[in-house]
């Protein structure tokens, strides 16, 4: 079994941080519920890390029932 070099470890950590930096949150404009791409929504079968564009078009807000078109990307900071 091959061991990962320090350089490979550093590259892996850098790639992980870059992915985390690009993870977005989407907020329902009707009720304020937030879909976090990093967390997904496993109650509806959406795995953690699922980008908003990969969430099914028939997704509805679990709080108020509006469709995906009623969500906006938000910046948390």
């Amino acid at each position: 079994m091959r061991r990962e070099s320090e350089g490979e470890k550093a590259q892996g950590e850098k790639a992980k941080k870059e992915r985390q930096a690009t993870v977005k949150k989407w907020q329902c404009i009707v009720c304020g519920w937030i879909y976090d791409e990093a967390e997904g929504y496993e109650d509806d079968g959406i795995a953690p890390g699922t980008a908003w564009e990969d969430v099914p078009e028939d997704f509805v807000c679990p709080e108020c029932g509006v469709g995906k078109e009623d969500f906006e990307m938000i910046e948390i900071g």
Side-chain angles (χ1 to χ4, degrees):
M1 186 164 103
R2 184 179 162 274
R3 289 188 64 187
E4 195 174 39
S5 73
E6 288 301 314
E8 290 171 324
K9 284 181 186 177
Q11 283 181 331
E13 286 299 312
K14 182 180 177 186
K16 182 178 176 182
K17 287 179 182 177
E18 287 174 357
R19 281 192 305 275
Q20 289 173 342
T22 60
V23 172
K24 299 175 180 83
K25 295 183 181 187
W26 296 81
Q27 185 172 35
C28 175
I29 61 172
V30 175
C31 73
W33 185 82
I34 295 174
Y35 172 76
D36 184 337
E37 292 179 347
E39 295 177 9
Y41 187 63
E42 294 192 72
D43 289 356
D44 204 23
I46 302 169
T50 302
W52 183 246
E53 58 266 14
D54 296 328
V55 171
E57 289 302 315
D58 62 352
F59 175 82
V60 294
C61 177
E63 293 293 317
C64 70
V66 299
K68 199 174 163 182
E69 65 277 359
D70 289 314
F71 281 75
E72 292 181 348
M73 187 180 66
I74 57 171
E75 290 188 35
I76 306 287

